[in-house]
Amino acid sequence: MRPAALGLLLGLLLGWLANGWRLGEQISDMHAEHAKAMRGAEERARKIEQGWRAAYEKVRQDAKNDAETFAADVAAERDNSKRLLGQINDLSRRPAACPSPTAGGASAETVSRVFAELLGELQGMAGAYAQEARSYRIAGLRCEVAHDLVADGE
């Protein structure tokens, strides 16, 4: 080869290496900026997630407290219901001492006992339905708040 061609080839090779070093620095700077941006995004995502977790834990604890309060209220109402049913049963026995107002008809005692039993069954069913509805309400409210926390955080 001729010296001019060899010089040209050597010049091109040196230019290519110099350009590679220059672009290599730009690429490494871009990688560093990207890594920094990724760390910042991860930190923000972790903070948002921690906020969601703390808020959800508060919602969960509030729902637990509501359920405990409701269970205590149910127990108190159940005791009150038993007391009232006892009074109704006592009162249903009283007409037995009185003469029947209608001859040949059902005695007041039988009617009173049937009424007391029916009232007791209805009250038990109403309590069960109320307890079930309240537990679904607590769960639904907790779900709504948790959804709102996630939806607002996006």
Side-chain angles (χ1 to χ4, degrees), residues 112-136:
S112 297
R113 285 181 194 227
V114 169
F115 175 70
E117 288 177 25
L118 183 60
L119 184 61
E121 289 177 17
L122 288 174
Q123 195 167 8
M125 290 171 54
Y129 290 140
Q131 189 171 1
E132 192 73 16
R134 178 66 176 163
S135 65
Y136 284 135

Side-chain angles (χ1 to χ4, degrees), residues 32-151:
E33 288 176 21
H34 181 262
K36 183 179 177 182
M38 286 296 293
R39 282 191 302 272
E42 286 176 6
E43 287 175 15
R44 284 190 302 276
R46 284 192 180 115
K47 285 181 183 177
I48 290 170
E49 182 183 0
Q50 287 172 353
W52 286 348
R53 186 173 292 134
Y56 181 76
E57 185 60 32
K58 183 182 180 325
V59 168
R60 191 190 66 76
Q61 188 62 40
D62 289 346
K64 181 181 174 191
N65 291 342
D66 286 348
E68 289 172 356
T69 301
F70 181 68
D73 290 346
V74 165
E77 288 302 318
R78 189 173 292 128
D79 291 342
N80 192 28
S81 173
K82 286 179 183 177
R83 183 183 58 77
L84 290 174
L85 282 175
Q87 289 177 353
I88 289 173
N89 285 331
D90 289 344
L91 292 173
S92 71
R93 289 187 196 103
R94 283 191 187 168
C98 301
S100 177
T102 58
S107 71
E109 178 181 357
T110 306
V111 173
S112 297
R113 285 181 194 227
V114 169
F115 175 70
E117 288 177 25
L118 183 60
L119 184 61
E121 289 177 17
L122 288 174
Q123 195 167 8
M125 290 171 54
Y129 290 140
Q131 189 171 1
E132 192 73 16
R134 178 66 176 163
S135 65
Y136 284 135
R137 182 177 182 275
I138 290 170
L141 289 175
R142 182 167 75 174
C143 185
E144 285 178 11
V145 171
H147 174 269
D148 291 344
L149 288 172
V150 173

